[in-house]
Amino acid sequence: MAENLEQNESKHDGSPSPGMTDQEKEVAASAYEAFLAGRYDESLKHLEGLQELNKEDYKISMNEAIVKFYKSGQTTTGALKQSLMVLKNQVHTTAEDADGLDDVENSLLCYNQAIIHYYLRQFSEAISIGERLYQFLEPFEEKFAQAVCFLLVDLYLLTFQPEKALHLLAVLDKLSAHGNNKNSKGENNSSNKDGVSHKTEVTALTEAAKSKIHQYKVRAYIQMKSSKACKREIKSVMNTAGNSAPSLFLKSNFEYLRGNYRKAVKLLNSSNIAEHPGPIKTGECVRCMFWNNLGCIHFAMGKHNLGIFYFKKALQENDHTCAQLGDGSNGQSKKFTGIPMCALLATKRYELLYNCGIQLLHIGRPLAAFECLMEAVQVYHSNSRLWLRLAECCISANKGGSEQESKGLPCKKGIVQSIVGQGYHRKVILASQSNQNSMYSEGQSAAIPVASMEFAAICLRNALLLLPEHQPQDIKTENNSRATSQSGSTESGSENSDVCSGQRSGG
């Protein structure tokens, strides 16, 4: 889900600290060079030597923790998180009580913590740290300032705050333009080969950043349903990224929102997803997103049986990806060990279950929909729409019909228990609610998640409590649930009026 994996990663502090001796600077430079070259054992040896020369600098310990993390193939996320927490306590910096100087001095430590929260889906914590860093953006190096902004943009889009994301994208545009001016001024001094190669590298990075900015803008405008602005940015994306899978997915998403469903399907089919790197490298399962997006499109076309077919294909692909990553029932996913950090965001199971549940509800299978949505509510418990759909499942399941009768659920005939008396004294005795739902609720609390009317009432109360007190009048009701992808094109859709909450577990 990280739009820029090279930016959304733990940072090794390669810059010399003020007050370092020439010997310490030389050892630090050697350690950083070995780290960039992937020679982690050599880098650790240099850092150990540096630690002996300067035992008070916590940044050396931070760099050692990061080098060990990379040496493990980025699979010891839990250990790195713990190491950074210990260092944070040592330097007495927290997001609440740190002053400006501490935030600038300890910015890399804070940034690395934000990255870990990001990959552990703890988005609120990551945003809190990122916004603190953003307040002190000016003293940072340009590359690091860009990394902080890109991380915040990604987090804002994941939590459905496109206005904030667009504000930061404007800042990134200025940073990129400033970098171009700085690079052009240095052209006269770049007469040798090293200077030319450096200029080429900087230009390539700038162009890549511009392409990512355009992609982020498309994602933001899609969330805001701003068709005109989105159309303009789509052209920029196609010019900078060409017919790559991310750009085609974005364009397909745009056509889907405009109602051009056949064109959206055609664009999806033209994307060469086979060439996309696997989830271990990118943390993204493009095949899963492909089937999910097809399911969303066919749902919007009213072809619900085809939609559920594609969603099931997406679930199968997601389960296959999790099995490859070792993210199964062995508890590894809870310990965050053995799985590359970027791959922790690969699973889209709960978004897909939400989509399946909405689809099943539309084709008249409320019990199957209830099971899917109950599993999704474990993560999206703050989504009022999800509680509303659960209530709809319960009500639909208790209306009566072929599925309900086959499952032994009460139907309309069970409403009248008996008739007594005659004439004016004739009385109709109705079955009590508890009798009607005796299969589910006998001897059980109403809070137990079964498809009963009592549980429907609880779901509706939850939905009402979660609604904001003052909802903006210009909010559009035509929203689609999205599982964010590398291309930003994931319409993990549901019904056109449903939104799957961006708040994930831990966030």
mmCIF file of all heavy atoms in Angstrom, residues 193-217:
data_model
loop_
_atom_site.group_PDB
_atom_site.id
_atom_site.type_symbol
_atom_site.label_atom_id
_atom_site.label_comp_id
_atom_site.label_asym_id
_atom_site.label_seq_id
_atom_site.Cartn_x
_atom_site.Cartn_y
_atom_site.Cartn_z
ATOM 1 N N LYS A 193 32.544 13.580 -14.656
ATOM 2 C CA LYS A 193 31.623 12.465 -14.882
ATOM 3 C C LYS A 193 30.745 12.222 -13.659
ATOM 4 O O LYS A 193 29.564 11.907 -13.783
ATOM 5 C CB LYS A 193 32.413 11.194 -15.208
ATOM 6 C CG LYS A 193 33.111 11.244 -16.554
ATOM 7 C CD LYS A 193 33.834 9.936 -16.834
ATOM 8 C CE LYS A 193 34.520 9.970 -18.203
ATOM 9 N NZ LYS A 193 35.242 8.713 -18.480
ATOM 10 N N ASP A 194 31.346 12.371 -12.458
ATOM 11 C CA ASP A 194 30.569 12.150 -11.245
ATOM 12 C C ASP A 194 29.424 13.157 -11.148
ATOM 13 O O ASP A 194 28.313 12.816 -10.742
ATOM 14 C CB ASP A 194 31.475 12.277 -10.012
ATOM 15 C CG ASP A 194 32.465 11.134 -9.920
ATOM 16 O OD1 ASP A 194 32.170 10.072 -10.517
ATOM 17 O OD2 ASP A 194 33.516 11.281 -9.262
ATOM 18 N N GLY A 195 29.734 14.387 -11.529
ATOM 19 C CA GLY A 195 28.706 15.409 -11.485
ATOM 20 C C GLY A 195 27.574 15.110 -12.442
ATOM 21 O O GLY A 195 26.398 15.291 -12.117
ATOM 22 N N VAL A 196 27.902 14.641 -13.638
ATOM 23 C CA VAL A 196 26.881 14.309 -14.637
ATOM 24 C C VAL A 196 26.021 13.145 -14.163
ATOM 25 O O VAL A 196 24.786 13.159 -14.277
ATOM 26 C CB VAL A 196 27.541 13.977 -15.991
ATOM 27 C CG1 VAL A 196 26.499 13.465 -16.976
ATOM 28 C CG2 VAL A 196 28.251 15.209 -16.550
ATOM 29 N N SER A 197 26.659 12.116 -13.623
ATOM 30 C CA SER A 197 25.900 10.955 -13.146
ATOM 31 C C SER A 197 25.005 11.343 -11.972
ATOM 32 O O SER A 197 23.865 10.870 -11.865
ATOM 33 C CB SER A 197 26.850 9.830 -12.724
ATOM 34 O OG SER A 197 27.669 10.255 -11.645
ATOM 35 N N HIS A 198 25.514 12.230 -11.107
ATOM 36 C CA HIS A 198 24.699 12.686 -9.975
ATOM 37 C C HIS A 198 23.479 13.468 -10.465
ATOM 38 O O HIS A 198 22.360 13.290 -9.964
ATOM 39 C CB HIS A 198 25.548 13.565 -9.049
ATOM 40 C CG HIS A 198 24.763 14.164 -7.922
ATOM 41 N ND1 HIS A 198 24.282 13.408 -6.864
ATOM 42 C CD2 HIS A 198 24.351 15.449 -7.685
ATOM 43 C CE1 HIS A 198 23.625 14.196 -6.029
ATOM 44 N NE2 HIS A 198 23.661 15.438 -6.505
ATOM 45 N N LYS A 199 23.716 14.307 -11.474
ATOM 46 C CA LYS A 199 22.614 15.096 -12.034
ATOM 47 C C LYS A 199 21.558 14.182 -12.663
ATOM 48 O O LYS A 199 20.350 14.386 -12.486
ATOM 49 C CB LYS A 199 23.164 16.052 -13.086
ATOM 50 C CG LYS A 199 22.077 16.894 -13.767
ATOM 51 C CD LYS A 199 22.616 17.563 -14.997
ATOM 52 C CE LYS A 199 21.458 18.121 -15.812
ATOM 53 N NZ LYS A 199 21.913 18.659 -17.103
ATOM 54 N N THR A 200 22.015 13.140 -13.357
ATOM 55 C CA THR A 200 21.083 12.183 -13.974
ATOM 56 C C THR A 200 20.254 11.468 -12.915
ATOM 57 O O THR A 200 19.040 11.282 -13.071
ATOM 58 C CB THR A 200 21.864 11.148 -14.812
ATOM 59 O OG1 THR A 200 22.680 11.832 -15.758
ATOM 60 C CG2 THR A 200 20.910 10.210 -15.527
ATOM 61 N N GLU A 201 20.921 11.074 -11.832
ATOM 62 C CA GLU A 201 20.228 10.373 -10.746
ATOM 63 C C GLU A 201 19.185 11.268 -10.088
ATOM 64 O O GLU A 201 18.056 10.849 -9.838
ATOM 65 C CB GLU A 201 21.251 9.909 -9.705
ATOM 66 C CG GLU A 201 20.635 9.128 -8.553
ATOM 67 C CD GLU A 201 21.672 8.739 -7.510
ATOM 68 O OE1 GLU A 201 22.876 8.952 -7.760
ATOM 69 O OE2 GLU A 201 21.259 8.224 -6.448
ATOM 70 N N VAL A 202 19.565 12.522 -9.845
ATOM 71 C CA VAL A 202 18.629 13.468 -9.220
ATOM 72 C C VAL A 202 17.428 13.718 -10.128
ATOM 73 O O VAL A 202 16.281 13.776 -9.681
ATOM 74 C CB VAL A 202 19.354 14.791 -8.887
ATOM 75 C CG1 VAL A 202 18.352 15.866 -8.482
ATOM 76 C CG2 VAL A 202 20.381 14.578 -7.782
ATOM 77 N N THR A 203 17.693 13.852 -11.436
ATOM 78 C CA THR A 203 16.605 14.084 -12.400
ATOM 79 C C THR A 203 15.637 12.910 -12.414
ATOM 80 O O THR A 203 14.410 13.096 -12.440
ATOM 81 C CB THR A 203 17.183 14.307 -13.811
ATOM 82 O OG1 THR A 203 18.099 15.408 -13.774
ATOM 83 C CG2 THR A 203 16.071 14.599 -14.802
ATOM 84 N N ALA A 204 16.190 11.684 -12.393
ATOM 85 C CA ALA A 204 15.342 10.486 -12.399
ATOM 86 C C ALA A 204 14.472 10.427 -11.145
ATOM 87 O O ALA A 204 13.280 10.104 -11.215
ATOM 88 C CB ALA A 204 16.208 9.236 -12.504
ATOM 89 N N LEU A 205 15.060 10.742 -9.988
ATOM 90 C CA LEU A 205 14.300 10.734 -8.739
ATOM 91 C C LEU A 205 13.206 11.795 -8.752
ATOM 92 O O LEU A 205 12.095 11.567 -8.269
ATOM 93 C CB LEU A 205 15.240 10.964 -7.549
ATOM 94 C CG LEU A 205 16.192 9.818 -7.189
ATOM 95 C CD1 LEU A 205 17.183 10.248 -6.120
ATOM 96 C CD2 LEU A 205 15.403 8.601 -6.719
ATOM 97 N N THR A 206 13.524 12.954 -9.328
ATOM 98 C CA THR A 206 12.536 14.033 -9.400
ATOM 99 C C THR A 206 11.357 13.636 -10.283
ATOM 100 O O THR A 206 10.189 13.877 -9.942
ATOM 101 C CB THR A 206 13.187 15.321 -9.945
ATOM 102 O OG1 THR A 206 14.298 15.676 -9.117
ATOM 103 C CG2 THR A 206 12.189 16.463 -9.974
ATOM 104 N N GLU A 207 11.657 13.018 -11.425
ATOM 105 C CA GLU A 207 10.584 12.586 -12.327
ATOM 106 C C GLU A 207 9.720 11.507 -11.676
ATOM 107 O O GLU A 207 8.496 11.505 -11.833
ATOM 108 C CB GLU A 207 11.191 12.057 -13.643
ATOM 109 C CG GLU A 207 11.811 13.133 -14.515
ATOM 110 C CD GLU A 207 10.815 14.219 -14.896
ATOM 111 O OE1 GLU A 207 9.665 13.878 -15.239
ATOM 112 O OE2 GLU A 207 11.168 15.417 -14.839
ATOM 113 N N ALA A 208 10.373 10.587 -10.954
ATOM 114 C CA ALA A 208 9.610 9.539 -10.258
ATOM 115 C C ALA A 208 8.706 10.154 -9.203
ATOM 116 O O ALA A 208 7.546 9.745 -9.039
ATOM 117 C CB ALA A 208 10.568 8.540 -9.618
ATOM 118 N N ALA A 209 9.226 11.168 -8.491
ATOM 119 C CA ALA A 209 8.421 11.839 -7.472
ATOM 120 C C ALA A 209 7.224 12.542 -8.097
ATOM 121 O O ALA A 209 6.107 12.495 -7.572
ATOM 122 C CB ALA A 209 9.283 12.829 -6.694
ATOM 123 N N LYS A 210 7.445 13.204 -9.247
ATOM 124 C CA LYS A 210 6.345 13.883 -9.939
ATOM 125 C C LYS A 210 5.258 12.893 -10.350
ATOM 126 O O LYS A 210 4.062 13.171 -10.222
ATOM 127 C CB LYS A 210 6.874 14.611 -11.175
ATOM 128 C CG LYS A 210 7.595 15.919 -10.875
ATOM 129 C CD LYS A 210 8.008 16.612 -12.161
ATOM 130 C CE LYS A 210 8.687 17.948 -11.887
ATOM 131 N NZ LYS A 210 9.105 18.614 -13.136
ATOM 132 N N SER A 211 5.687 11.732 -10.861
ATOM 133 C CA SER A 211 4.724 10.713 -11.268
ATOM 134 C C SER A 211 3.894 10.245 -10.089
ATOM 135 O O SER A 211 2.665 10.090 -10.183
ATOM 136 C CB SER A 211 5.464 9.526 -11.901
ATOM 137 O OG SER A 211 4.563 8.497 -12.255
ATOM 138 N N LYS A 212 4.553 10.034 -8.939
ATOM 139 C CA LYS A 212 3.832 9.611 -7.740
ATOM 140 C C LYS A 212 2.864 10.695 -7.262
ATOM 141 O O LYS A 212 1.757 10.387 -6.798
ATOM 142 C CB LYS A 212 4.829 9.271 -6.629
ATOM 143 C CG LYS A 212 5.660 8.029 -6.890
ATOM 144 C CD LYS A 212 4.798 6.796 -6.960
ATOM 145 C CE LYS A 212 5.637 5.549 -7.215
ATOM 146 N NZ LYS A 212 4.780 4.350 -7.367
ATOM 147 N N ILE A 213 3.282 11.945 -7.358
ATOM 148 C CA ILE A 213 2.412 13.051 -6.942
ATOM 149 C C ILE A 213 1.132 13.059 -7.773
ATOM 150 O O ILE A 213 0.024 13.222 -7.252
ATOM 151 C CB ILE A 213 3.162 14.398 -7.052
ATOM 152 C CG1 ILE A 213 4.232 14.509 -5.962
ATOM 153 C CG2 ILE A 213 2.180 15.568 -6.941
ATOM 154 C CD1 ILE A 213 5.171 15.694 -6.128
ATOM 155 N N HIS A 214 1.276 12.868 -9.091
ATOM 156 C CA HIS A 214 0.093 12.829 -9.970
ATOM 157 C C HIS A 214 -0.817 11.658 -9.587
ATOM 158 O O HIS A 214 -2.048 11.796 -9.567
ATOM 159 C CB HIS A 214 0.524 12.706 -11.426
ATOM 160 C CG HIS A 214 1.135 13.952 -11.996
ATOM 161 N ND1 HIS A 214 0.533 15.184 -11.900
ATOM 162 C CD2 HIS A 214 2.310 14.165 -12.663
ATOM 163 C CE1 HIS A 214 1.293 16.107 -12.483
ATOM 164 N NE2 HIS A 214 2.373 15.509 -12.942
ATOM 165 N N GLN A 215 -0.228 10.511 -9.274
ATOM 166 C CA GLN A 215 -1.040 9.352 -8.897
ATOM 167 C C GLN A 215 -1.784 9.603 -7.592
ATOM 168 O O GLN A 215 -2.965 9.264 -7.456
ATOM 169 C CB GLN A 215 -0.156 8.106 -8.776
ATOM 170 C CG GLN A 215 0.399 7.612 -10.105
ATOM 171 C CD GLN A 215 1.198 6.335 -9.973
ATOM 172 O OE1 GLN A 215 0.954 5.539 -9.072
ATOM 173 N NE2 GLN A 215 2.168 6.143 -10.850
ATOM 174 N N TYR A 216 -1.099 10.204 -6.641
ATOM 175 C CA TYR A 216 -1.756 10.536 -5.376
ATOM 176 C C TYR A 216 -2.908 11.515 -5.604
ATOM 177 O O TYR A 216 -3.970 11.414 -4.977
ATOM 178 C CB TYR A 216 -0.756 11.161 -4.412
ATOM 179 C CG TYR A 216 0.059 10.171 -3.608
ATOM 180 C CD1 TYR A 216 1.448 10.200 -3.633
ATOM 181 C CD2 TYR A 216 -0.566 9.225 -2.802
ATOM 182 C CE1 TYR A 216 2.195 9.309 -2.880
ATOM 183 C CE2 TYR A 216 0.168 8.335 -2.044
ATOM 184 C CZ TYR A 216 1.548 8.385 -2.080
ATOM 185 O OH TYR A 216 2.281 7.511 -1.328
ATOM 186 N N LYS A 217 -2.701 12.498 -6.483
ATOM 187 C CA LYS A 217 -3.756 13.480 -6.749
ATOM 188 C C LYS A 217 -4.984 12.807 -7.344
ATOM 189 O O LYS A 217 -6.126 13.148 -6.999
ATOM 190 C CB LYS A 217 -3.232 14.563 -7.697
ATOM 191 C CG LYS A 217 -2.318 15.583 -7.014
ATOM 192 C CD LYS A 217 -1.885 16.666 -7.992
ATOM 193 C CE LYS A 217 -1.006 17.715 -7.305
ATOM 194 N NZ LYS A 217 -0.560 18.765 -8.240
#
